[in-house]
């Protein structure tokens, strides 16, 4: 019973997040019903296919999602490098403060 409720709530969560992403990409909520029908058909197809086919499709879809993320990482790499260089002194200061406070604690225990 618990796994059934978990699966159902997961499907609802995926539908909601996908619908909001679809709405964001199109800039309007006029096509939400189209998305809901399409999502329902895909869920039905997933329920009626073999488990091996469903897992293969899932693996392919997850691999394809990595492609735009990797492209964006390459495009933004210069900006990330600048942010890291700007933030690194703060990281070093925090690390130095932690080290000095832990050294003080060690001296107090002696």
């Amino acid at each position: 019973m618990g796994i059934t409720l978990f699966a159902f709530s997961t499907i609802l969560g995926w539908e909601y997040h996908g619908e909001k992403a679809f709405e964001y990409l199109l800039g309007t909520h006029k096509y939400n019903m189209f998305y809901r029908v399409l999502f329902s058909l895909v869920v039905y197809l997933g329920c009626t296919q073999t488990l091996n086919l469903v897992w293969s499709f899932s693996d392919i879809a997850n691999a394809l999602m990595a492609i735009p993320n990797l492209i964006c990482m390459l495009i933004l790499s210069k900006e990330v490098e600048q942010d890291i260089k700007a933030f690194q002194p703060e990281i070093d200061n925090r690390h130095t403060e932690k080290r000095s406070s832990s050294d003080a604690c060690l001296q107090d225990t002696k």
Side-chain angles (χ1 to χ4, degrees):
M1 180 68 175
I3 192 90
T4 303
L5 292 174
F6 174 74
F8 184 69
S9 66
T10 301
I11 289 172
L12 290 178
W14 285 347
E15 192 281 328
Y16 177 77
H17 287 290
E19 182 177 311
K20 290 301 170 186
F22 193 71
E23 190 176 310
Y24 174 79
L25 289 173
L26 296 179
T28 181
H29 66 303
K30 286 194 276 188
Y31 304 106
N32 283 359
M33 188 55 68
F34 171 75
Y35 175 81
R36 291 174 186 167
V37 170
L38 182 66
F39 186 86
S40 298
L41 290 173
V42 170
V43 169
Y44 175 77
L45 285 174
C47 293
T48 57
Q49 300 303 312
T50 64
L51 190 58
N52 189 32
L53 179 66
V54 172
W55 278 113
S56 295
F57 178 76
S58 174
D59 289 342
I60 291 168
N62 282 323
L64 290 175
M65 283 191 295
I67 293 170
N69 285 314
L70 291 171
I71 292 170
C72 289
M73 285 176 59
L74 288 173
I75 292 170
L76 294 172
S77 62
K78 291 289 184 190
E79 188 173 326
V80 170
E81 179 185 10
Q82 292 170 353
D83 290 343
I84 288 172
K85 285 180 180 178
F87 193 65
Q88 190 63 43
E90 186 172 333
I91 294 172
D92 292 339
N93 289 340
R94 287 183 184 179
H95 185 61
T96 305
E97 289 173 5
K98 277 187 177 181
R99 186 177 296 160
S100 63
S101 67
S102 65
D103 290 344
C105 289
L106 287 175
Q107 289 177 354
D108 289 342
T109 58
K110 289 182 181 180

